[in-house]
Amino acid sequence: MTRQPLERPTESPFRIWDFVIVMALTFGAAAVGSVVALIVSPPDDLTTEALLGDPMLIGISLVFQLLGTFAGLAVVKAIRRASVEDFGLPITGADASGILWGLGFLVPLLGVGLLVETLDLEAPSGGAGAALGGMDNPWFAIGAILAIGVFGPLAEELTYRAVLQGSLRRRFAPMTAILITSLVFAPLHIQAGPGVTVFI
């Protein structure tokens, strides 16, 4: 059975500087959000672990970060006069197998989570998990879950896969572009220590 090619343009309009623009606005907005959170709800303890475990600080910073990412994507879209198709949208029936593969990979992750809980092992604390666990307001928790589980991944896909990988695809073979994108993406998700997690 021959596979039908995707009906999408192979030539991306994005350049590597577009990724830099998005990331600059993302980190800049996150920094502004952190300052706003410190003004609105100043913590008693200014240690790194206490700050990264503060749900209010994490929540406000995350919202600002996402707003910065989407603002950056809008700027890049305007500069390149890009269409939604250039970002790999809308999702079509041809994407169904990829979505199913992604959901399939969640099964072993859930298995590991169940194993950790069953064996009563101590899981790493801090970051998004600790922030969610410390939220008393259910509406705030639901908003955070949507931000972390829906809008965050969407922003990442558009930033890394569409903009960065698309720009690299102009110069490199697909596998090389995917590898470089992965090498940029992964370090921003590594836990640097107890209670320290970078969100992007």
Side-chain angles (χ1 to χ4, degrees), residues 72-92:
L73 290 167
V75 167
V76 165
K77 182 180 183 296
I79 291 172
R80 298 296 172 204
R81 296 182 181 175
S83 66
V84 292
E85 286 81 10
D86 294 319
F87 287 96
L89 298 171
I91 294 173
T92 65

Side-chain angles (χ1 to χ4, degrees), residues 8 28 30 33 61 63 85 98-99 102 110 115 120 130 137 146 155 179 184 193:
R8 289 181 181 164
S61 178
V63 168
E85 286 81 10
I99 292 170
L110 291 172
L115 182 64
D120 200 25
N137 188 330
L146 286 174
L179 179 62
V184 172

Side-chain angles (χ1 to χ4, degrees), residues 10 14 16 27 49-50 66 77 80 89-90 93 103 143 166 171 182:
T10 55
F14 302 116
I16 197 70
F27 284 117
E49 192 169 339
L66 288 173
K77 182 180 183 296
R80 298 296 172 204
L89 298 171
L103 291 173
R171 295 176 176 240
S182 300

Side-chain angles (χ1 to χ4, degrees), residues 7-182:
E7 294 180 3
R8 289 181 181 164
T10 55
E11 181 80 1
S12 171
F14 302 116
R15 306 293 191 275
I16 197 70
W17 283 108
D18 298 333
F19 177 72
V20 174
I21 290 170
V22 176
M23 296 311 293
L25 285 172
T26 297
F27 284 117
V32 170
S34 297
V35 171
V36 168
L38 289 172
I39 293 170
V40 171
S41 176
D44 298 329
D45 188 0
L46 291 178
T47 63
T48 303
E49 192 169 339
L51 291 175
L52 291 175
D54 183 347
M56 181 64 75
L57 179 65
I58 294 294
I60 293 176
S61 178
L62 184 60
V63 168
F64 271 77
Q65 175 183 300
L66 288 173
L67 290 174
T69 301
F70 285 115
L73 290 167
V75 167
V76 165
K77 182 180 183 296
I79 291 172
R80 298 296 172 204
R81 296 182 181 175
S83 66
V84 292
E85 286 81 10
D86 294 319
F87 287 96
L89 298 171
I91 294 173
T92 65
D95 300 306
S97 63
I99 292 170
L100 290 175
W101 271 104
L103 291 173
F105 280 113
L106 288 176
V107 174
L109 290 176
L110 291 172
V112 169
L114 288 172
L115 182 64
V116 167
E117 188 175 332
T118 303
L119 298 177
D120 200 25
L121 299 175
E122 187 176 341
S125 61
L132 285 174
M135 291 178 188
D136 297 326
N137 188 330
W139 292 108
F140 193 74
I142 289 170
I145 289 168
L146 286 174
I148 295 167
V150 178
F151 299 113
L154 177 60
E156 290 178 341
E157 282 294 301
L158 296 176
T159 301
Y160 291 93
R161 187 174 57 84
V163 177
L164 179 59
Q165 189 174 309
S167 65
L168 292 170
R169 181 66 184 91
R170 297 174 62 87
R171 295 176 176 240
F172 303 104
M175 193 56 70
T176 306
I178 291 169
L179 179 62
I180 295 171
T181 302
S182 300

